[in-house]
């Protein structure tokens, strides 16, 4: 595994200060946290052309086709420096970039404490073959840090992947929902029943993956399932509430 720290900012190639990890200060500041207004349920940012009605507004997508999870929140928009950071993390095996993530997570939860008391933190599992290919599991590493920051218990092996799925990059939510169906099983039903679970993943795109996991957890008796991801992809506009 490559633990070499770069000499330049991974995003802009600029100089990084001593004590910084992978990003220069301006690039780090460029990762803005997702702020209100957003959908109370799925966390998608509201279209700013609408008047912001109240803190618990529900987006058109959630009203038409509700998710199985109760609530989802993401740290920042994927289409920023965050994307470069996650890519380094995921594909270049620079696990040292985790220090950069930890910094962001700490700052985020300081500003957005959430309501996660009593929750158990659980990562979305990678398929075994991908784990072998990459050598580490970024969702687990993010989940572990979230658990430390929020002082919550971490259950690394609550779910397992039982099905290899096709790459989902170009699929719609409906296509992804079909693709991911049956991908997860619960390892320890007794640790799920009557529990509130905070599912953690790296990126929320259409929500199909976390939703399938939430469905399985609820079938096994989970009470609330909340979702937290680092990045959020926002496709389309016009939430129409
Ligand atoms: Zn930079
Ligand atoms: Zn929504």
């Amino acid at each position: 595994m490559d633990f070499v720290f770069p000499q330049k900012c991974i995003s802009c190639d600029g100089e990084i200060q001593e004590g910084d990890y992978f990003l220069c200060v301006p690039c780090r500041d460029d990762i803005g946290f997702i702020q209100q207004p957003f959908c109370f349920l799925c966390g998608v940012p509201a279209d700013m052309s609408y008047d912001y009605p109240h803190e618990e507004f529900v987006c058109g997508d959630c009203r038409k086709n509700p998710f199985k999870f109760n609530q989802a929140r993401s740290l920042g928009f994927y289409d920023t420096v965050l994307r470069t950071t996650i890519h380094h993390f995921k594909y270049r095996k620079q696990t040292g970039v985790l220090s950069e993530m930890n910094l962001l997570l700490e700052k985020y939860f300081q500003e957005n404490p959430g309501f996660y008391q009593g929750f158990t933190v659980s990562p979305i599992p990678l398929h075994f073959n991908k784990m072998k290919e990459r050598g580490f599991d970024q969702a687990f590493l993010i989940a572990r840090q979230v658990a430390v920051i929020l002082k919550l218990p971490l259950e690394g092996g609550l779910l397992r992947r039982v099905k290899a799925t096709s790459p989902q990059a170009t699929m719609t939510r409906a296509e992804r929902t079909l693709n991911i169906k049956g991908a997860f099983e619960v390892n320890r039903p007794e640790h799920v029943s009557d529990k509130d679970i905070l599912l953690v993943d790296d990126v929320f795109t259409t929500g199909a993956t976390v939703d399938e996991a939430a469905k399985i957890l609820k079938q096994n008796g989970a009470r609330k399932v909340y979702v937290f991801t680092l990045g959020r992809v926002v496709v389309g506009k016009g939430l129409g509430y």
Side-chain angles (χ1 to χ4, degrees), residues 91-105:
Y91 299 111
R92 301 194 186 185
K93 303 193 176 180
Q94 285 174 328
T95 48
V97 78
L98 191 61
S99 311
E100 195 65 56
M101 300 282 188
N102 291 350
L103 213 68
L104 282 169
L105 288 168

Side-chain angles (χ1 to χ4, degrees), residues 8-119:
K8 308 242 179 217
C9 170
I10 56 171
S11 180
C12 73
D13 241 11
E15 295 298 320
I16 52 173
Q17 306 292 311
E18 183 139 6
D20 278 342
Y21 300 105
F22 285 84
L23 294 172
C24 68
V25 174
C27 281
R28 186 177 302 125
D29 289 347
D30 185 57
I31 304 173
F33 295 153
I34 293 177
Q35 310 275 6
Q36 290 276 14
F38 47 71
C39 170
F40 180 69
L41 300 180
C42 76
V44 70
D47 187 326
M48 296 306 282
S49 63
Y50 291 92
D51 286 331
Y52 175 43
H54 54 85
E55 281 209 353
E56 297 195 1
F57 95 85
V58 173
C59 76
D61 210 24
C62 281
R63 281 188 289 139
K64 268 183 266 159
N65 193 7
F67 288 103
K68 306 288 188 304
F69 57 75
N70 299 76
Q71 216 175 69
R73 298 290 182 261
S74 306
L75 178 143
F77 293 106
Y78 186 55
D79 204 13
T80 59
V81 175
L82 199 53
R83 182 187 197 136
T84 319
T85 314
I86 291 173
H87 270 242
H88 273 257
F89 193 19
K90 208 164 167 170
Y91 299 111
R92 301 194 186 185
K93 303 193 176 180
Q94 285 174 328
T95 48
V97 78
L98 191 61
S99 311
E100 195 65 56
M101 300 282 188
N102 291 350
L103 213 68
L104 282 169
L105 288 168
E106 254 161 59
K107 206 172 140 208
Y108 175 81
F109 284 111
Q110 235 163 46
E111 292 176 22
N112 304 274
F115 302 98
Y116 303 121
Q117 289 95 331
F119 277 70

Side-chain angles (χ1 to χ4, degrees), residues 59-225:
C59 76
D61 210 24
C62 281
R63 281 188 289 139
K64 268 183 266 159
N65 193 7
F67 288 103
K68 306 288 188 304
F69 57 75
N70 299 76
Q71 216 175 69
R73 298 290 182 261
S74 306
L75 178 143
F77 293 106
Y78 186 55
D79 204 13
T80 59
V81 175
L82 199 53
R83 182 187 197 136
T84 319
T85 314
I86 291 173
H87 270 242
H88 273 257
F89 193 19
K90 208 164 167 170
Y91 299 111
R92 301 194 186 185
K93 303 193 176 180
Q94 285 174 328
T95 48
V97 78
L98 191 61
S99 311
E100 195 65 56
M101 300 282 188
N102 291 350
L103 213 68
L104 282 169
L105 288 168
E106 254 161 59
K107 206 172 140 208
Y108 175 81
F109 284 111
Q110 235 163 46
E111 292 176 22
N112 304 274
F115 302 98
Y116 303 121
Q117 289 95 331
F119 277 70
T120 300
V121 181
S122 172
I124 292 287
L126 264 183
H127 193 265
F128 180 70
N129 292 339
K130 277 202 178 148
M131 180 70 194
K132 264 199 342 205
E133 186 184 296
R134 286 188 194 152
F136 68 96
D137 178 348
Q138 75 280 0
F140 173 78
L141 295 173
I142 299 165
R144 190 177 61 184
Q145 190 61 18
V146 168
V148 167
I149 294 169
L150 297 175
K151 299 186 173 66
L152 296 175
L154 172 73
E155 285 253 20
L158 216 52
L159 291 165
R160 63 171 180 274
R161 284 231 189 202
V162 290
K163 189 178 116 180
T165 47
S166 316
Q168 304 197 107
T170 58
M171 294 185 192
T172 64
R173 179 177 162 194
E175 288 165 342
R176 283 169 183 243
T177 301
L178 262 180
N179 184 44
I180 200 81
K181 198 168 193 273
F184 302 112
E185 272 176 20
V186 165
N187 265 332
R188 304 189 194 98
E190 70 278 15
H191 290 204
V192 171
S193 182
D194 279 332
K195 293 275 173 14
D196 294 331
I197 295 170
L198 177 58
L199 276 174
V200 175
D201 207 359
D202 52 357
V203 183
F204 185 116
T205 306
T206 63
T209 301
V210 284
D211 206 37
E212 177 67 16
K215 184 182 90 186
I216 298 303
L217 290 170
K218 292 211 164 172
Q219 280 171 0
N220 281 271
R223 280 189 310 224
K224 279 185 217 143
V225 179

